[in-house]
Every structure is written in structure tokens, then in C-alpha cells.
Amino acid sequence: MRRGEPVRGVWLALPSVESARLMARMPADWLVVDVEHAPVGAETMTRMVAAIADARGPAPLVRLASPGVENVKRALDAGAWGVIGPMVNTRAEAEAFVAAAKFPPVGQRSFGSAWAGLAFDVAAPDYLRIANEQTIAMVQIENRAALEHLDEICGVPGLDGVFVGPVDLAISLGLGPDSDSRDPDFRRALDEILRAATAAGLPAGIYCSSPEAAAERLEQGFVMVNVATDVAVLSQGVRDRLA
């Protein structure tokens, strides 16, 4: 991402370690365990992250239920290579999120997990040394309120990127739940997010509804896109077989 190269991933909403193990063998760059809008508890998330990390394939990421300290700590202590904090609308919220995700002197993350280093195949002291550089903290931009503070948010030291939640962003703009909206206001919002991220030297990602949408977003300038969601692929696959 730092080199501007696209990274393709898969969204995991099924609370299933077995499904995560299967997906971890796919030629994707990352898998995100969705804890915000999926029925995934802390224990299941921990085991899904471990299953992905042990495959030594895609990077295990977690989209948190909220960007609070407890949620950040649980995901990173489980061994997640990165966390996505939803509904971040101000610089203060972004600063608090980064502080929770990074060890001192960058942030205020506490140290003590016996599992975090296993995801990187290193001992605990080595994990403490590499974690700030090797784990990703991305804020999710998905509300009109955040658009008023983009440069402030993107300027937070220690932040590793921004990730757009297009459905909630569209809703907040009064456009309905359309992640692929062609509305000019929606397009301008995406352009502004890309501008602010680029100016701050941050990569930008976005949730995509399909491979076609992902290709379009890459062309637009985003570098981190999901090309599939496990629930959608499962449902559509069964529909196709039944038909």
C-alpha cells in the first residue's frame, strides 16, 4: 500500500473458524473479520484471526465494533495485523484510536498478550519491538461529519490509512444505502477523501460490493479493496446452483 500497489481482500461476516481457514488459503492479500455488523464475539474473532495467521497467507485484519480501547486491544492482542476503527469523525477520535493501537512512545497501548506475537511468529519481546511498524491502524470514514475534518483526521501521527464505508457515507448524505452510488455528491465525497489521504501520504481503502466495483475503485485511486464478501458469495452461489 505504501508503494501505491493495490491489495485485494475478502470480507468475512460468517462467525466461523472453519470458513476463515478455507478463505485463508485463497490468493488474497488480506481478510477482514467483521466484528461490527456480524455476530462475531471476542473468542470467535480470536480463533478466526489465529486460523488466518497460521495459514501464512492473507493478512488477518479486524473491523471493530467501535474504535474504543477495549475493542482495539482485543483484536491486536489476538494477533490481528491491523484494525479498522468505524465511525471516526474528528481528529480527537482518530487520536484516541491511534493511541489505543500503538505502543509508547507513539501511543498508549498496553503490553501483555501471549498470542499477539504468534501471528508474526515472534516472541513477545520481539513483538513489542516490531508491532508499531508492522500493525495497521486505519480509521473508517463513513459520515458527513467526517468530511468536515478530513485533513485533521488524516494528519494524526501514527495513523496508517483511511477506509471508506460507502453505505453509511451514502446514507449520511441522504442518498440511501447504495455503496456504488453515482450521485455527484457521493463522488465528490470520495474525491475529497482521496485528496486528503494522498496529501497526508496515507493509503485509502473502500468496501466494494463486487469485483467490478473493486476494479472501478482501484481505477479511481483507492488501493485497498475487497472483491468478495463471504455471506454474499455463499448466498449467490446457492441461488445459482438452485437455478
Side-chain angles (χ1 to χ4, degrees):
M1 287 196 295
R2 285 176 175 168
R3 294 192 296 268
E5 299 174 7
V7 291
R8 305 166 304 152
V10 178
W11 212 262
L12 305 184
L14 293 172
S16 168
V17 177
E18 291 75 21
S19 178
R21 288 183 68 197
L22 288 173
M23 293 299 101
R25 269 67 182 179
M26 298 294 106
D29 297 303
W30 54 272
L31 302 177
V32 67
V33 179
D34 186 9
V35 180
E36 183 183 20
H37 290 306
V40 179
E43 290 82 3
T44 299
M45 177 272 295
T46 298
R47 295 185 178 105
M48 291 175 70
V49 166
I52 298 166
D54 288 347
R56 296 294 184 262
L61 310 178
V62 175
R63 200 264 291 272
L64 307 171
S66 70
V69 173
E70 179 181 355
N71 294 321
V72 174
K73 184 183 299 186
R74 282 185 181 275
L76 291 178
D77 280 1
W81 288 19
V83 286
I84 301 174
M87 287 292 179
V88 173
N89 296 324
T90 67
R91 180 182 177 90
E93 291 172 354
E95 288 175 336
F97 172 68
V98 171
K102 302 292 182 178
F103 290 118
V106 179
Q108 301 172 5
R109 180 184 171 191
S110 64
F111 176 71
S113 171
W115 295 273
L118 299 180
F120 292 89
D121 200 24
V122 298
D126 292 320
Y127 176 78
L128 177 62
R129 178 176 54 82
I130 69 170
N132 281 357
E133 178 69 18
Q134 294 298 322
T135 57
I136 297 171
M138 302 183 78
V139 294
Q140 198 156 332
I141 304 297
E142 50 185 338
N143 191 279
R144 179 193 291 270
L147 300 179
E148 302 173 4
H149 306 285
L150 286 175
D151 291 314
E152 301 168 26
I153 292 171
C154 291
V156 170
L159 186 65
D160 297 304
V162 298
F163 195 92
V164 177
V167 174
D168 280 321
L169 180 60
I171 292 172
S172 77
L173 294 172
L175 304 175
D178 184 359
S179 64
D180 303 322
S181 175
R182 302 287 179 174
D183 186 276
D185 288 342
F186 184 74
R187 179 67 187 223
R188 279 192 292 271
L190 294 186
D191 288 341
E192 270 299 291
I193 294 168
L194 283 170
R195 179 204 59 76
T198 301
L202 297 177
I206 188 169
Y207 177 88
C208 300
S209 62
S210 66
E212 293 76 17
E216 183 176 343
R217 296 307 184 198
L218 290 175
E219 183 68 24
Q220 188 177 353
F222 291 94
V223 297
M224 181 181 179
V225 294
N226 65 295
V227 300
T229 301
D230 57 0
V231 171
V233 171
L234 173 63
S235 299
Q236 189 57 53
V238 173
R239 288 193 193 98
D240 291 344
R241 295 290 179 108
L242 288 170

